[in-house]
Amino acid sequence: MKLELGNININKIIKSDENKIADHTLYINEQKIIDFVLEDDRISKCTIEIANPGDKTRITPVKDVIEPRCKVDSTAEIFPGVIGKMSGVGEGRTHVLKGCAVMTVGKIVGFQEGIVDMSGPGAEQTPFSKLHNICLVLEPIEGLDPHIYEEAARFAGLKVGSLLGKLGETIEPDDMTTYETQPLLKQIEQYPDLPKVGYVYMLQTQGLLHDTYVYGADAKHIIPTILYPTEVMDGAILSGNCVSACDKNTTYHHLNNPVIHDLYSRHGKDINFMGVIITNETVYLADKVRSSDFSSKIAEYLGLDGVIITQEGFGNPDTDLIMNCKKIEEKQIKTVIVTDEYAGRDGASQSLADADPLADAVVTGGNANEVIVLPPMEKLIGQLDYVDVIAGGFDGSLREDGSIEVELQAITGATNEIGFNLTSAKGY
């Protein structure tokens, strides 16, 4: 598959009487977007706020982040099987509104949502502080079941992301990059002397709002399979989960997975990037054994020499991570795992809930238990009611002066386990 990604740089967002892009500025008609969102009768109210880099603004609780995109000259649609009709993606041409995002904000369900500060020390912990964010502040109708509300909020963000993305369909991108992965035998023949490297992409699928969708299918019901890397870059995988904010893979993360981008950057130079093996993070032991058996078997079947494995979440998924690593290593395939740590506020506790001597090459996104004080902000988008109960918060987190003392766990993207964050370290 060959995919052309064209970036249209967005430097400013302005509310206007029409939706358009001109001179690297995204103009949005607030009321048209609100009316579009409220076509879903599960949402009772939607307001739109714009948050720019450097603003003294706090956004919480953040649910998902979506990068506006559209397919160009294609029968396929972005976000297939969910917003667009079911069709394959990963080839053709896609235009991206780079530098901006749609961020869904709303009533918390459970306790695992996040905070994004647009300035100050909190902004230094999240990549989303660098974007111009269109925040959809959503309220569900009274009595709506939590999982239905989460679905409605997810759909709202994806729909608006698609709507705005289409504004760039006829605009000439500022830059264009082509990514290509050929069918297996041709790919091997192209660079026969380079080590064959694959990517085992663990998707959060523990249920109870810990879900990820592949072409619209709930990934907890799949067995590990193979995707072209370009499919991931083109909207085949979408977030639907409420895991701890620091290591949640939002939809933006999936679209901009840095492991895939970095492997492509070395493809044909010192590695032969063969493709992506997606697997799930299940709850029961038998399911974990089945999925890790399949991921290791596929890695062997592809003839891989090396594998990068990333996880999402912590605790229970640590078992899946180590199972995948151990079984792939036992097939004489070198592995590197990417994770984060929950090592206690002093950093002295065991970092992962599971371990094995074969997991001897690790990249970490940092310690999610590290404590940070977020100063008061001039503007709030969303609500602060839940700060004391979100994962990473505690009784008294929200102080009288408006400052917040929390663990990094509460900041969206702070210790992201695909490496899409601003802090990392390596250990061998």
Side-chain angles (χ1 to χ4, degrees), residues 180 219 263 324 333 381 388:
E180 184 176 15
L263 287 173
N324 283 313
I333 301 170
I381 297 176
D388 286 359

Side-chain angles (χ1 to χ4, degrees), residues 152-202:
R154 184 172 74 253
F155 278 20
L158 295 171
K159 285 167 56 179
V160 173
S162 176
L163 175 74
L164 297 178
K166 289 177 181 177
L167 299 176
E169 185 173 10
T170 59
I171 294 178
E172 188 62 28
D174 295 289
D175 61 81
M176 183 78 70
T177 305
T178 300
Y179 302 91
E180 184 176 15
T181 298
Q182 299 192 44
L184 181 61
L185 295 182
K186 290 185 178 180
Q187 190 60 65
I188 294 173
E189 291 172 357
Q190 187 177 22
Y191 302 110
D193 299 324
L194 295 179
K196 298 180 290 296
V197 176
Y199 174 30
V200 175
Y201 196 3
M202 294 171 53

Side-chain angles (χ1 to χ4, degrees), residues 232-409:
V232 181
M233 304 169 86
D234 213 20
I237 299 178
L238 304 177
S239 173
N241 67 57
C242 301
V243 298
S244 290
C246 63
D247 50 26
K248 170 193 284 193
N249 287 338
T250 68
T251 297
Y252 192 102
H253 286 105
H254 290 301
L255 291 168
N256 293 280
N257 186 307
V259 175
I260 292 175
H261 279 268
D262 288 356
L263 287 173
Y264 264 130
S265 71
R266 296 177 62 173
H267 178 60
K269 299 174 183 176
D270 55 0
I271 65 167
N272 189 349
F273 182 25
M274 300 301 298
V276 177
I277 301 169
I278 59 169
T279 185
N280 43 27
E281 299 174 350
T282 53
V283 176
Y284 298 108
L285 180 59
D287 295 328
K288 294 176 183 294
V289 172
R290 178 191 305 111
S291 290
S292 55
D293 280 351
F294 266 83
S295 64
S296 61
K297 181 170 60 178
I298 292 171
E300 178 185 45
Y301 182 68
L302 294 175
L304 299 179
D305 300 302
V307 163
I308 295 176
I309 310 171
T310 66
Q311 74 165 329
E312 181 176 12
F314 69 99
N316 189 294
D318 292 348
T319 304
D320 303 85
L321 177 68
I322 298 302
M323 278 188 174
N324 283 313
C325 174
K326 180 180 179 181
K327 292 179 181 180
I328 293 172
E329 282 275 352
E330 287 174 339
K331 293 184 180 295
Q332 307 305 308
I333 301 170
K334 295 295 184 181
T335 65
V336 175
I337 62 174
V338 187
T339 181
D340 62 359
E341 304 171 58
Y342 286 77
R345 294 182 180 181
D346 60 359
S349 299
Q350 180 174 317
S351 296
L352 298 177
D354 199 359
D356 190 273
L358 291 175
D360 60 0
V362 183
V363 178
T364 172
N367 179 15
N369 294 136
E370 182 180 334
V371 175
I372 186 172
V373 176
L374 307 176
M377 291 285 150
E378 294 178 359
K379 180 178 180 180
L380 171 68
I381 297 176
Q383 55 195 112
L384 292 172
D385 308 40
Y386 307 106
V387 168
D388 286 359
V389 298
I390 58 175
F394 49 87
D395 187 25
S397 279
L398 180 60
R399 298 171 172 177
E400 290 186 6
D401 66 353
S403 63
I404 301 172
E405 182 180 0
V406 289
E407 295 180 354
L408 292 182
Q409 187 177 176

Side-chain angles (χ1 to χ4, degrees), residues 193-228:
D193 299 324
L194 295 179
K196 298 180 290 296
V197 176
Y199 174 30
V200 175
Y201 196 3
M202 294 171 53
L203 307 177
Q204 175 58 249
T205 58
Q206 292 177 280
L208 298 177
L209 306 178
H210 290 48
D211 301 304
T212 304
Y213 296 87
V214 180
Y215 281 104
D218 189 336
K220 74 167 62 68
H221 301 303
I222 70 169
I223 58 173
T225 189
I226 306 169
L227 291 182
Y228 282 95

Side-chain angles (χ1 to χ4, degrees), residues 40-116:
D40 188 333
D41 59 12
R42 298 172 295 183
I43 303 294
S44 67
K45 183 179 180 182
C46 173
T47 56
I48 295 177
E49 300 279 359
I50 296 173
N52 298 300
D55 289 351
K56 295 182 178 180
T57 297
R58 174 162 295 142
I59 312 166
T60 188
V62 175
K63 309 182 84 60
D64 196 11
V65 187
I66 302 100
E67 186 171 57
R69 296 180 170 215
C70 75
K71 298 298 295 179
V72 177
D73 299 328
S74 173
T75 57
E77 298 180 38
I78 208 73
F79 311 137
V82 180
I83 300 302
K85 63 184 179 181
M86 182 55 221
S87 59
V89 291
E91 57 187 344
R93 183 166 173 169
T94 297
H95 284 182
V96 181
L97 304 193
K98 188 59 68 175
C100 70
V102 175
M103 187 174 284
T104 50
V105 183
K107 178 182 176 182
I108 196 168
V109 174
F111 57 91
Q112 293 179 310
E113 302 287 13
I115 301 169
V116 170

